[in-house]
Amino acid sequence: MRKYILTLDQGTTSSRAILFDREQNILALAQKELRQIYPREGWVEHDPVEIWSSQYGVMMEVIAQSGIAPEDIAAIGLANQRETTIVWDQATGAPVYNAICWQCRRTAGLVDRLREEGLEEYIRKTTGLIPDAYFSATKLKWILDQVDPKRERAGRGELLFGTVDSWLVWKLTGGQAHVTDATNASRTMIYDIHRGCWDERLLEVLDIPRAMLPRVVECSGVVGHTQIGGAQVPISGMAGDQQAALFGQTCFAPGEAKNTYGTGCFLLMNTGVTPCESRNGLLTTIAMARGGKVQYALEGSAFTGGAVIQWLRDELGFLSDSAQAQEMAAAVPDTGGVYLVPAFTGLGAPYWDMYARGALVGLTRGTGRNHVVRAAQESIAYQVWDLVEAMEKDTGLTLSTLNADGGASRDPFLLQFQADILGKPVRRPVVRETTALGAAYLAGLAVGFWRDAGELRQLWREDRVFSPAMSPERSEELVGGWHRAVDRALGWERR
């Protein structure tokens, strides 16, 4: 039997490839940063060609690093940044416009019009989502309005739409497979998560031709093959990055939850085969489609998580390396009353304010860089506090432990502060690359590399538990200050 699973993890700020063995050990990892394009204030784009070339490059690099034969790769699993929207020419494979990133706010006006037309409740009931520029639908409409305003080419299927998973599978299979998986489809705002199909009414409202949409497939199953050397390797696992991380944390049962500390923060709770409708600003989404069954999740999304540390490094020059944030935050006993609300592209759950903007409040003459860096670190944990509170209200469940993963989960200062203000233990796994691991699990299950979910649970290993050490009174005081700061950031940008 073939010995390894190759995961392609295409994220917002980088493309990565990771090679796992059967015991979920990482044999090799390669990563390449992805250029961020900011054409205007609030606009965020990626170059689709760079997405592909960087992802292909790290795939080949990780194989070369490991020295394995391509014939020893059992399958490829794919995880991707969600909602990011790409349109390309079916005949040439060339993108017709840059990829519009999930962070981009250019379509806020289109979303406002949907609300004015009375579609908010229909969108929420059908797609599980709240109308927002975050999702793919209005991004797709915007691109079509620029390149095919009469929808002639799109209507004939000459232009194809896909999120990043679709684009990569199309390229990997040489244009043979135009597919997306159910988790990514559920993030487009045009997919009926109850009937499991593209929604005719929303397609009509947004003037999106059905002919350009990908076929929706399950998350675990062979969708095509790619040639590596002389080997035909199956692509058999696909999921949006946050759903992949939920699977990688082995949150297979209702009530199990994880938070990924990445570019943004994403808290997901498995709610089983019955979708849970949120009344507290969360999203109902598809957690997994596998073996003819669909599981759902509640999700809370904070747009700016670890990206706030990148901002301190790249835009303000406070850091030369992101790892310095932990040391600088720990160099002061507290923030000195400073709060940073990183609403650079609006605020996600539970506020859903596309017009919020970043705020730094509570400054005094004694405020220094360390205080600001600590406030940035703490802002990540405060946003997760908001998500946990909303999730507990919606489900009536009290989370006993929070599973943590993602790049920023390496930071012990952040996870200790998170445990302190939540008053709950925060548990970190040995394999922190849980997004990639979840995609590997899905790919491996499809080809018999792993037997079943029970075997995966046995493989999962805990690294460290951060236990709360702050008094409830102090936590309440700090969270209260955070909410006062958020109030000052809401609705800042004029409509």
Side-chain angles (χ1 to χ4, degrees):
M1 180 180 283
R2 294 184 177 187
K3 304 173 183 176
Y4 309 104
I5 298 289
L6 175 62
T7 294
L8 307 182
D9 182 4
Q10 204 299 303
T12 309
T13 57
S14 70
S15 296
R16 304 193 304 161
I18 302 178
L19 196 67
F20 292 97
D21 67 12
R22 204 175 310 280
E23 287 69 45
Q24 72 179 25
N25 297 307
I26 294 175
L27 273 71
L29 184 153
Q31 177 171 338
K32 184 174 178 57
E33 284 203 11
L34 186 66
R35 182 169 50 106
Q36 309 296 300
I37 303 168
Y38 306 105
R40 298 186 195 174
E41 189 70 27
W43 291 28
V44 189
E45 297 178 357
H46 293 151
D47 178 355
V49 175
E50 185 183 352
I51 289 175
W52 162 242
S53 63
S54 62
Q55 191 64 74
Y56 183 80
V58 294
M59 178 178 76
M60 300 309 293
E61 182 182 343
V62 86
I63 294 170
Q65 272 184 29
S66 64
I68 68 163
E71 291 78 12
D72 285 334
I73 301 172
I76 292 174
L78 176 63
N80 60 284
Q81 55 166 312
R82 305 171 304 170
E83 298 94 21
T84 294
T85 300
I86 304 173
V87 177
W88 65 94
D89 187 296
Q90 189 272 341
T92 67
V96 299
Y97 196 86
N98 271 346
I100 300 183
C101 181
W102 59 271
Q103 296 171 311
C104 187
R105 315 309 291 169
R106 78 184 65 188
T107 62
L110 289 174
V111 173
D112 287 339
R113 288 203 287 277
L114 293 176
R115 287 200 176 104
E116 289 164 4
E117 292 169 12
L119 284 162
E120 181 168 3
E121 186 64 9
Y122 182 81
I123 289 171
R124 191 173 64 81
K125 291 280 189 183
T126 304
T127 70
L129 308 178
I130 293 170
D132 195 87
Y134 174 30
F135 305 110
S136 309
T138 55
K139 303 179 196 300
L140 173 54
K141 174 177 168 52
W142 190 94
I143 293 175
L144 288 175
D145 286 347
Q146 312 309 306
V147 304
D148 189 21
K150 294 184 179 180
R151 306 305 196 256
E152 293 174 348
R153 299 189 64 205
R156 294 192 296 265
E158 295 172 9
L159 298 182
L160 301 180
F161 155 73
T163 42
V164 171
D165 60 317
S166 298
W167 170 241
L168 291 178
V169 171
W170 171 268
K171 298 294 284 184
L172 286 165
T173 61
Q176 296 302 302
H178 182 214
V179 298
T180 189
D181 79 279
T183 66
N184 278 291
S186 74
R187 311 298 297 185
T188 59
M189 212 174 78
I190 49 176
Y191 188 74
D192 187 327
I193 63 171
H194 309 284
R195 293 187 297 144
C197 62
W198 301 111
D199 184 74
E200 299 84 355
R201 181 179 177 188
L202 292 173
L203 293 180
E204 182 179 356
V205 166
L206 292 162
D207 197 11
I208 296 172
R210 176 67 182 82
M212 71 181 309
L213 302 181
R215 178 170 61 93
V216 181
V217 298
E218 291 193 340
C219 304
S220 185
V222 176
V223 297
H225 292 75
T226 191
Q227 184 162 328
I228 303 176
Q232 287 287 327
V233 182
I235 303 165
S236 58
M238 295 170 64
D241 50 10
Q242 302 314 316
Q243 285 93 335
L246 187 71
F247 205 75
Q249 286 274 30
T250 65
C251 295
F252 303 147
E256 295 179 331
K258 68 86 198 175
N259 186 71
T260 296
Y261 297 83
T263 302
C265 284
F266 301 90
L267 178 68
L268 273 76
M269 176 190 283
N270 187 325
T271 62
V273 296
T274 304
C276 177
E277 189 173 312
S278 176
R279 293 296 178 183
N280 291 281
L282 302 180
L283 306 174
T284 305
T285 196
I286 292 177
M288 198 55 51
R290 178 174 162 262
K293 296 181 180 179
V294 174
Q295 282 192 318
Y296 295 89
L298 266 184
E299 175 172 338
S301 309
F303 299 151
T304 304
V308 70
I309 307 302
Q310 291 178 318
W311 173 72
L312 291 175
R313 182 193 67 188
D314 299 340
E315 310 305 329
L316 298 191
F318 278 20
L319 319 164
S320 58
D321 186 274
S322 297
Q324 286 180 271
Q326 174 191 334
E327 300 169 11
M328 294 177 72
V332 289
D334 53 42
T335 67
V338 173
Y339 287 89
L340 172 59
V341 182
F344 304 138
T345 56
L347 283 172
Y351 304 101
W352 294 108
D353 187 344
M354 297 182 291
Y355 300 97
R357 289 297 178 265
L360 184 62
V361 300
L363 299 174
T364 67
R365 184 63 182 83
T367 300
R369 288 189 181 192
N370 291 343
H371 295 103
V372 175
V373 171
R374 181 168 179 136
Q377 290 273 72
E378 292 185 0
S379 75
I380 301 171
Y382 287 131
Q383 291 178 95
V384 175
W385 188 98
D386 284 337
L387 300 179
V388 170
E389 182 192 43
M391 196 160 283
E392 290 183 337
K393 286 181 177 177
D394 274 337
T395 62
L397 302 172
T398 299
L399 283 182
S400 58
T401 303
L402 181 65
N403 293 311
D405 57 66
S409 70
R410 294 181 177 87
D411 185 341
F413 172 86
L414 172 61
L415 294 194
Q416 183 59 55
F417 186 76
Q418 186 73 82
D420 286 345
I421 63 164
L422 282 176
K424 305 175 189 294
V426 174
R427 186 173 66 157
R428 185 173 66 188
V430 169
V431 180
R432 297 172 206 168
E433 306 291 349
T434 50
T435 295
L437 184 61
Y441 283 167
L442 291 165
L445 288 170
V447 297
F449 190 80
W450 289 295
R451 185 175 60 256
D452 54 27
E455 181 181 357
L456 300 182
R457 280 196 186 275
Q458 291 176 353
L459 289 170
W460 192 94
R461 301 190 303 277
E462 181 182 284
D463 171 44
R464 181 176 172 185
V465 176
F466 296 83
S467 299
M470 181 183 289
S471 71
E473 294 77 19
R474 177 60 175 159
S475 171
E476 185 178 350
E477 178 186 2
L478 290 173
V479 171
W482 161 254
H483 289 145
R484 287 193 296 128
V486 169
D487 286 343
R488 284 150 178 81
L490 294 172
W492 181 266
E493 185 74 11
R494 293 182 179 179
R495 297 178 184 236

